[in-house]
Amino acid sequence: MRRAAILARIEAAAKAAGRTEGDVGLVAVSKQQPDTRIDAVLAAGQRVFGENRVQEAQVRWGARRAQFSDLVLRLIGPLQTNKAEDAVALFDAIDTLDRPKLAAALAGAMHKLGRRPDVLVQVNTGEEPQKGGVSPPEADALIHAARETYGLPVRGLMCIPPANEPPGPHFALLAKIAARNGLSQLSMGMSEDFETAIRFGATHVRVGSALFGPRG
Ligand SMILES: *Cc1c(COP(=O)(O)O)cnc(C)c1O
Protein backbone atom coordinates (compact mmCIF):
# COMPACT_ATOMS: atom_id res chain seq x y z
CA MET A 1 0.00 0.00 0.00
CA ARG A 2 1.36 3.36 -1.02
CA ARG A 3 0.26 4.98 2.26
CA ALA A 4 2.66 2.91 4.35
CA ALA A 5 5.53 3.88 2.07
CA ILE A 6 4.64 7.58 2.27
CA LEU A 7 4.38 7.42 6.07
CA ALA A 8 7.79 5.73 6.20
CA ARG A 9 9.28 8.48 4.06
CA ILE A 10 7.70 11.15 6.28
CA GLU A 11 9.14 9.47 9.35
CA ALA A 12 12.60 9.18 7.82
CA ALA A 13 12.59 12.82 6.69
CA ALA A 14 11.40 14.00 10.12
CA LYS A 15 14.09 11.98 11.88
CA ALA A 16 16.79 13.22 9.51
CA ALA A 17 15.73 16.79 10.33
CA GLY A 18 15.93 16.10 14.05
CA ARG A 19 12.18 16.17 14.38
CA THR A 20 9.78 13.51 15.57
CA GLU A 21 7.42 11.67 13.28
CA GLY A 22 4.37 12.98 15.13
CA ASP A 23 5.33 16.54 14.20
CA VAL A 24 4.33 15.99 10.59
CA GLY A 25 0.81 15.08 9.50
CA LEU A 26 -0.11 13.52 6.18
CA VAL A 27 -2.94 15.31 4.37
CA ALA A 28 -4.21 12.92 1.69
CA VAL A 29 -5.21 15.09 -1.27
CA SER A 30 -8.26 13.26 -2.61
CA LYS A 31 -9.40 15.72 -5.29
CA GLN A 32 -10.34 14.06 -8.59
CA GLN A 33 -9.66 10.59 -7.22
CA PRO A 34 -12.06 7.67 -7.74
CA ASP A 35 -14.06 6.35 -4.78
CA THR A 36 -12.31 2.98 -4.82
CA ARG A 37 -8.94 4.58 -4.08
CA ILE A 38 -10.38 6.80 -1.37
CA ASP A 39 -12.09 3.87 0.33
CA ALA A 40 -8.83 1.90 0.23
CA VAL A 41 -6.92 4.73 1.91
CA LEU A 42 -9.67 5.10 4.52
CA ALA A 43 -9.50 1.36 5.18
CA ALA A 44 -5.75 1.71 5.72
CA GLY A 45 -6.46 4.21 8.49
CA GLN A 46 -6.00 7.58 6.80
CA ARG A 47 -8.36 10.20 8.27
CA VAL A 48 -7.03 13.60 7.17
CA PHE A 49 -7.95 14.61 3.63
CA GLY A 50 -7.44 17.72 1.51
CA GLU A 51 -9.81 18.96 -1.17
CA ASN A 52 -9.51 21.97 -3.44
CA ARG A 53 -13.17 22.52 -4.38
CA VAL A 54 -16.07 22.98 -1.98
CA GLN A 55 -18.71 21.37 -4.19
CA GLU A 56 -16.61 18.37 -5.12
CA ALA A 57 -15.81 17.85 -1.44
CA GLN A 58 -19.48 18.03 -0.46
CA VAL A 59 -20.31 15.28 -2.92
CA ARG A 60 -17.36 13.09 -1.95
CA TRP A 61 -17.51 13.49 1.82
CA GLY A 62 -21.15 14.24 2.63
CA ALA A 63 -22.09 10.63 3.32
CA ARG A 64 -18.66 9.43 4.47
CA ARG A 65 -18.68 12.08 7.20
CA ALA A 66 -21.38 10.18 9.07
CA GLN A 67 -19.45 6.93 8.71
CA PHE A 68 -16.09 8.20 9.98
CA SER A 69 -16.56 10.46 12.99
CA ASP A 70 -12.82 11.14 13.23
CA LEU A 71 -12.49 12.43 9.68
CA VAL A 72 -10.59 15.71 9.24
CA LEU A 73 -11.27 17.64 6.04
CA ARG A 74 -9.03 20.50 4.94
CA LEU A 75 -9.81 22.98 2.18
CA ILE A 76 -6.58 23.54 0.22
CA GLY A 77 -7.98 25.33 -2.85
CA PRO A 78 -9.10 28.91 -3.48
CA LEU A 79 -12.34 29.98 -1.79
CA GLN A 80 -14.87 32.48 -3.10
CA THR A 81 -16.62 34.60 -0.47
CA ASN A 82 -20.03 33.32 -1.58
CA LYS A 83 -18.91 29.77 -0.71
CA ALA A 84 -17.57 30.70 2.73
CA GLU A 85 -20.63 29.38 4.54
CA ASP A 86 -20.56 26.03 2.72
CA ALA A 87 -16.84 25.73 3.46
CA VAL A 88 -17.25 26.49 7.18
CA ALA A 89 -20.09 23.95 7.35
CA LEU A 90 -18.02 21.13 5.82
CA PHE A 91 -14.33 21.64 6.57
CA ASP A 92 -12.34 21.30 9.78
CA ALA A 93 -9.61 23.57 8.46
CA ILE A 94 -9.49 26.21 5.75
CA ASP A 95 -5.92 26.55 4.54
CA THR A 96 -6.35 29.24 1.91
CA LEU A 97 -7.27 32.53 3.57
CA ASP A 98 -5.63 35.19 1.40
CA ARG A 99 -7.58 38.45 1.63
CA PRO A 100 -9.47 40.61 4.14
CA LYS A 101 -12.79 40.21 2.34
CA LEU A 102 -12.58 36.44 2.74
CA ALA A 103 -11.61 36.84 6.41
CA ALA A 104 -14.78 38.86 6.93
CA ALA A 105 -16.89 36.25 5.12
CA LEU A 106 -15.38 33.40 7.16
CA ALA A 107 -15.92 35.28 10.42
CA GLY A 108 -19.57 35.87 9.49
CA ALA A 109 -20.09 32.23 8.52
CA MET A 110 -18.45 30.96 11.73
CA HIS A 111 -20.64 33.24 13.81
CA LYS A 112 -23.78 32.15 12.00
CA LEU A 113 -23.03 28.40 12.06
CA GLY A 114 -21.35 28.20 15.46
CA ARG A 115 -18.42 26.25 13.95
CA ARG A 116 -14.80 27.37 14.10
CA PRO A 117 -12.58 25.46 11.66
CA ASP A 118 -8.85 26.19 11.94
CA VAL A 119 -7.62 28.80 9.50
CA LEU A 120 -4.29 28.93 7.69
CA VAL A 121 -3.18 31.95 5.67
CA GLN A 122 -1.96 31.08 2.19
CA VAL A 123 1.15 33.00 1.13
CA ASN A 124 2.00 33.37 -2.55
CA THR A 125 5.73 33.04 -1.90
CA GLY A 126 6.59 33.21 -5.61
CA GLU A 127 4.26 36.20 -6.18
CA GLU A 128 2.75 34.40 -9.17
CA PRO A 129 -0.19 36.37 -10.62
CA GLN A 130 -2.29 33.27 -11.41
CA LYS A 131 -1.90 31.79 -7.93
CA GLY A 132 -3.89 32.44 -4.77
CA GLY A 133 -2.25 33.66 -1.59
CA VAL A 134 -1.30 36.95 -0.03
CA SER A 135 2.02 38.40 -1.22
CA PRO A 136 4.84 38.04 1.33
CA PRO A 137 5.10 41.80 2.08
CA GLU A 138 1.37 41.87 2.92
CA ALA A 139 1.28 38.66 4.94
CA ASP A 140 1.91 40.14 8.42
CA ALA A 141 -0.90 42.67 8.01
CA LEU A 142 -3.37 40.02 6.83
CA ILE A 143 -2.45 37.66 9.66
CA HIS A 144 -2.91 40.48 12.15
CA ALA A 145 -6.27 41.54 10.70
CA ALA A 146 -7.51 37.94 10.53
CA ARG A 147 -6.78 37.48 14.21
CA GLU A 148 -7.54 40.87 15.69
CA THR A 149 -10.16 42.43 13.44
CA TYR A 150 -12.02 39.26 12.50
CA GLY A 151 -11.21 37.02 15.48
CA LEU A 152 -10.36 34.02 13.33
CA PRO A 153 -8.54 30.97 14.76
CA VAL A 154 -5.39 31.41 12.66
CA ARG A 155 -3.05 28.48 13.30
CA GLY A 156 -0.45 28.74 10.58
CA LEU A 157 0.52 29.30 6.96
CA MET A 158 0.31 27.43 3.67
CA CYS A 159 2.17 27.82 0.36
CA ILE A 160 2.46 26.28 -3.09
CA PRO A 161 5.90 27.15 -4.52
CA PRO A 162 6.28 27.91 -8.24
CA ALA A 163 6.45 24.67 -10.22
CA ASN A 164 9.70 25.55 -11.99
CA GLU A 165 11.83 26.67 -9.05
CA PRO A 166 13.63 24.85 -6.25
CA PRO A 167 11.08 24.85 -3.40
CA GLY A 168 13.52 25.20 -0.49
CA PRO A 169 13.73 29.02 -0.44
CA HIS A 170 9.92 29.23 -0.59
CA PHE A 171 9.54 26.86 2.34
CA ALA A 172 12.15 28.83 4.27
CA LEU A 173 10.32 32.09 3.61
CA LEU A 174 7.03 30.61 4.80
CA ALA A 175 8.68 29.31 7.98
CA LYS A 176 10.21 32.72 8.63
CA ILE A 177 6.87 34.54 8.26
CA ALA A 178 5.22 31.99 10.56
CA ALA A 179 7.93 32.32 13.23
CA ARG A 180 7.76 36.09 13.40
CA ASN A 181 3.98 35.90 13.76
CA GLY A 182 4.05 33.18 16.41
CA LEU A 183 2.31 30.61 14.19
CA SER A 184 3.12 26.92 14.64
CA GLN A 185 1.53 25.17 11.66
CA LEU A 186 3.14 25.02 8.23
CA SER A 187 1.26 23.32 5.39
CA MET A 188 3.85 22.84 2.67
CA GLY A 189 5.20 20.10 0.48
CA MET A 190 3.42 17.92 -2.09
CA SER A 191 4.21 14.61 -3.82
CA GLU A 192 7.41 15.89 -5.43
CA ASP A 193 8.88 17.85 -2.54
CA PHE A 194 7.39 16.83 0.80
CA GLU A 195 10.68 15.59 2.20
CA THR A 196 12.29 18.96 1.46
CA ALA A 197 9.33 20.68 3.12
CA ILE A 198 9.79 18.55 6.24
CA ARG A 199 13.42 19.64 6.37
CA PHE A 200 12.19 23.26 6.44
CA GLY A 201 9.64 22.62 9.18
CA ALA A 202 6.41 21.44 7.52
CA THR A 203 3.79 20.26 10.01
CA HIS A 204 1.34 19.22 7.27
CA VAL A 205 2.36 17.73 3.94
CA ARG A 206 -0.27 17.56 1.20
CA VAL A 207 0.25 14.45 -0.87
CA GLY A 208 -2.04 13.49 -3.75
CA SER A 209 -0.66 11.57 -6.72
CA ALA A 210 2.17 9.83 -4.85
CA LEU A 211 -0.43 8.41 -2.47
CA PHE A 212 -3.41 7.68 -4.73
CA GLY A 213 -1.84 7.45 -8.16
CA PRO A 214 -2.38 9.93 -11.01
CA ARG A 215 -5.59 11.96 -10.96
CA GLY A 216 -8.32 11.07 -13.45
C1 LIG B 1 -3.44 18.94 -5.86
C2 LIG B 1 -2.79 19.61 -4.73
C3 LIG B 1 -1.83 18.93 -3.94
C4 LIG B 1 -1.36 17.51 -4.23
O1 LIG B 1 -0.56 17.50 -5.34
P1 LIG B 1 0.30 16.17 -5.72
O2 LIG B 1 1.39 16.69 -6.55
O3 LIG B 1 -0.63 15.27 -6.42
O4 LIG B 1 0.78 15.60 -4.44
C5 LIG B 1 -1.29 19.60 -2.87
N1 LIG B 1 -1.65 20.87 -2.57
C6 LIG B 1 -2.56 21.55 -3.29
C7 LIG B 1 -2.91 22.93 -2.91
C8 LIG B 1 -3.15 20.95 -4.39
O5 LIG B 1 -4.06 21.64 -5.10
Side-chain angles (χ1 to χ4, degrees), residues 5 7 55 59 69 93-94 100 111 114 133 141 147 149 156 159 161 166 169-170 173 176 190 201 212 215:
L7 289 176
Q55 244 173 326
V59 171
S69 58
I94 293 170
H111 181 74
R147 286 166 151 170
T149 309
C159 76
H170 295 273
L173 174 59
K176 188 172 140 192
M190 322 202 315
F212 291 103
R215 282 181 282 278

Short mmCIF file of all heavy atoms in Angstrom, two decimals, residues 5 7 55 59 69 93-94 100 111 114 133 141 147 149 156 159 161 166 169-170 173 176 190 201 212 215:
data_model
loop_
_atom_site.label_atom_id
_atom_site.label_comp_id
_atom_site.label_asym_id
_atom_site.label_seq_id
_atom_site.Cartn_x
_atom_site.Cartn_y
_atom_site.Cartn_z
N ALA A 5 4.26 3.39 2.60
CA ALA A 5 5.53 3.88 2.07
C ALA A 5 5.67 5.39 2.28
O ALA A 5 6.75 5.88 2.64
CB ALA A 5 5.64 3.53 0.59
N LEU A 7 4.19 7.18 4.63
CA LEU A 7 4.38 7.42 6.07
C LEU A 7 5.82 7.11 6.48
O LEU A 7 6.40 7.83 7.30
CB LEU A 7 3.39 6.59 6.89
CG LEU A 7 1.93 7.03 6.81
CD1 LEU A 7 1.04 6.07 7.60
CD2 LEU A 7 1.74 8.47 7.32
N GLN A 55 -17.61 22.21 -3.70
CA GLN A 55 -18.71 21.37 -4.19
C GLN A 55 -18.30 19.92 -4.37
O GLN A 55 -19.02 19.00 -4.00
CB GLN A 55 -19.23 21.92 -5.51
CG GLN A 55 -20.67 22.39 -5.39
CD GLN A 55 -21.14 23.08 -6.65
OE1 GLN A 55 -20.36 23.76 -7.33
NE2 GLN A 55 -22.40 22.90 -6.98
N VAL A 59 -19.83 16.51 -2.30
CA VAL A 59 -20.31 15.28 -2.92
C VAL A 59 -19.53 14.08 -2.38
O VAL A 59 -20.10 13.05 -2.02
CB VAL A 59 -20.16 15.36 -4.46
CG1 VAL A 59 -20.44 14.02 -5.11
CG2 VAL A 59 -21.08 16.44 -5.02
N SER A 69 -16.38 9.29 12.12
CA SER A 69 -16.56 10.46 12.99
C SER A 69 -15.23 11.19 13.23
O SER A 69 -15.23 12.35 13.64
CB SER A 69 -17.16 10.02 14.32
OG SER A 69 -16.30 9.06 14.91
N ALA A 93 -10.67 22.57 8.59
CA ALA A 93 -9.61 23.57 8.46
C ALA A 93 -9.72 24.18 7.07
O ALA A 93 -10.01 23.49 6.10
CB ALA A 93 -8.23 22.93 8.64
N ILE A 94 -9.48 25.48 7.03
CA ILE A 94 -9.49 26.21 5.75
C ILE A 94 -8.09 26.81 5.61
O ILE A 94 -7.69 27.67 6.39
CB ILE A 94 -10.60 27.27 5.75
CG1 ILE A 94 -11.96 26.54 5.77
CG2 ILE A 94 -10.46 28.20 4.55
CD1 ILE A 94 -13.15 27.39 6.01
N PRO A 100 -8.60 40.15 3.06
CA PRO A 100 -9.47 40.61 4.14
C PRO A 100 -10.95 40.31 3.89
O PRO A 100 -11.68 39.95 4.81
CB PRO A 100 -9.22 42.12 4.18
CG PRO A 100 -7.86 42.30 3.61
CD PRO A 100 -7.70 41.23 2.57
N HIS A 111 -19.69 32.71 12.83
CA HIS A 111 -20.64 33.24 13.81
C HIS A 111 -22.03 32.64 13.58
O HIS A 111 -22.69 32.16 14.50
CB HIS A 111 -20.67 34.76 13.71
CG HIS A 111 -21.59 35.40 14.69
ND1 HIS A 111 -21.30 35.49 16.03
CD2 HIS A 111 -22.82 35.94 14.53
CE1 HIS A 111 -22.32 36.08 16.65
NE2 HIS A 111 -23.25 36.36 15.76
N GLY A 114 -21.86 28.69 14.18
CA GLY A 114 -21.35 28.20 15.46
C GLY A 114 -20.29 27.12 15.31
O GLY A 114 -20.18 26.21 16.13
N GLY A 133 -3.19 33.40 -2.67
CA GLY A 133 -2.25 33.66 -1.59
C GLY A 133 -1.93 35.13 -1.48
O GLY A 133 -1.91 35.84 -2.49
N ALA A 141 0.30 41.85 7.80
CA ALA A 141 -0.90 42.67 8.01
C ALA A 141 -2.17 41.82 7.91
O ALA A 141 -3.11 42.00 8.70
CB ALA A 141 -0.95 43.80 6.98
N ARG A 147 -6.66 37.78 12.78
CA ARG A 147 -6.78 37.48 14.21
C ARG A 147 -7.52 38.56 14.97
O ARG A 147 -8.46 38.28 15.72
CB ARG A 147 -5.37 37.39 14.82
CG ARG A 147 -4.60 36.15 14.46
CD ARG A 147 -3.16 36.40 14.84
NE ARG A 147 -2.44 35.19 15.19
CZ ARG A 147 -1.12 35.17 15.37
NH1 ARG A 147 -0.41 36.28 15.24
NH2 ARG A 147 -0.52 34.05 15.68
N THR A 149 -8.94 41.78 13.93
CA THR A 149 -10.16 42.43 13.44
C THR A 149 -11.29 41.42 13.31
O THR A 149 -12.43 41.71 13.66
CB THR A 149 -9.89 43.09 12.06
OG1 THR A 149 -8.74 43.91 12.16
CG2 THR A 149 -11.08 43.92 11.60
N GLY A 156 -1.69 28.87 11.31
CA GLY A 156 -0.45 28.74 10.58
C GLY A 156 -0.55 29.25 9.16
O GLY A 156 -1.46 30.01 8.81
N CYS A 159 1.67 27.29 1.64
CA CYS A 159 2.17 27.82 0.36
C CYS A 159 2.25 26.72 -0.68
O CYS A 159 2.30 25.53 -0.36
CB CYS A 159 3.53 28.51 0.50
SG CYS A 159 4.93 27.39 0.67
N PRO A 161 4.81 26.49 -3.79
CA PRO A 161 5.90 27.15 -4.52
C PRO A 161 5.72 27.06 -6.03
O PRO A 161 5.03 26.16 -6.52
CB PRO A 161 7.15 26.37 -4.10
CG PRO A 161 6.77 25.64 -2.87
CD PRO A 161 5.29 25.37 -2.99
N PRO A 166 13.36 25.67 -7.43
CA PRO A 166 13.63 24.85 -6.25
C PRO A 166 12.73 25.33 -5.11
O PRO A 166 12.63 26.54 -4.88
CB PRO A 166 15.10 25.12 -5.93
CG PRO A 166 15.66 25.83 -7.11
CD PRO A 166 14.53 26.44 -7.87
N PRO A 169 13.82 27.62 -0.87
CA PRO A 169 13.73 29.02 -0.44
C PRO A 169 12.28 29.46 -0.14
O PRO A 169 12.07 30.31 0.74
CB PRO A 169 14.29 29.80 -1.65
CG PRO A 169 15.19 28.82 -2.34
CD PRO A 169 14.55 27.47 -2.14
N HIS A 170 11.32 28.89 -0.84
CA HIS A 170 9.92 29.23 -0.59
C HIS A 170 9.46 28.68 0.76
O HIS A 170 8.77 29.35 1.52
CB HIS A 170 9.04 28.72 -1.73
CG HIS A 170 9.35 29.40 -3.03
ND1 HIS A 170 8.77 30.59 -3.42
CD2 HIS A 170 10.23 29.09 -4.01
CE1 HIS A 170 9.26 30.97 -4.58
NE2 HIS A 170 10.15 30.07 -4.96
N LEU A 173 11.02 30.81 3.45
CA LEU A 173 10.32 32.09 3.61
C LEU A 173 9.03 31.90 4.40
O LEU A 173 8.72 32.68 5.31
CB LEU A 173 10.03 32.69 2.22
CG LEU A 173 9.19 33.97 2.19
CD1 LEU A 173 9.86 35.09 2.99
CD2 LEU A 173 8.95 34.43 0.74
N LYS A 176 9.78 31.47 8.01
CA LYS A 176 10.21 32.72 8.63
C LYS A 176 9.01 33.62 8.96
O LYS A 176 8.93 34.21 10.04
CB LYS A 176 11.16 33.43 7.65
CG LYS A 176 11.86 34.65 8.20
CD LYS A 176 12.91 35.14 7.19
CE LYS A 176 12.92 36.65 7.14
NZ LYS A 176 13.69 37.16 6.00
N MET A 190 4.36 18.76 -1.36
CA MET A 190 3.42 17.92 -2.09
C MET A 190 4.18 16.65 -2.53
O MET A 190 5.26 16.38 -2.04
CB MET A 190 2.83 18.69 -3.28
CG MET A 190 2.56 20.15 -2.95
SD MET A 190 1.36 21.05 -3.94
CE MET A 190 1.74 20.62 -5.60
N GLY A 201 10.56 22.42 8.06
CA GLY A 201 9.64 22.62 9.18
C GLY A 201 8.17 22.34 8.92
O GLY A 201 7.32 22.70 9.76
N PHE A 212 -2.25 8.30 -4.07
CA PHE A 212 -3.41 7.68 -4.73
C PHE A 212 -3.11 7.16 -6.13
O PHE A 212 -3.89 6.42 -6.70
CB PHE A 212 -4.55 8.71 -4.86
CG PHE A 212 -5.19 9.09 -3.56
CD1 PHE A 212 -4.88 10.31 -2.96
CD2 PHE A 212 -6.11 8.27 -2.95
CE1 PHE A 212 -5.49 10.67 -1.77
CE2 PHE A 212 -6.73 8.63 -1.76
CZ PHE A 212 -6.41 9.84 -1.18
N ARG A 215 -4.19 11.54 -10.99
CA ARG A 215 -5.59 11.96 -10.96
C ARG A 215 -6.25 11.71 -12.31
O ARG A 215 -5.64 11.85 -13.34
CB ARG A 215 -5.69 13.45 -10.62
CG ARG A 215 -5.50 13.73 -9.15
CD ARG A 215 -5.62 15.21 -8.85
NE ARG A 215 -4.44 15.94 -9.19
CZ ARG A 215 -3.33 16.05 -8.44
NH1 ARG A 215 -3.29 15.43 -7.27
NH2 ARG A 215 -2.29 16.74 -8.82
#
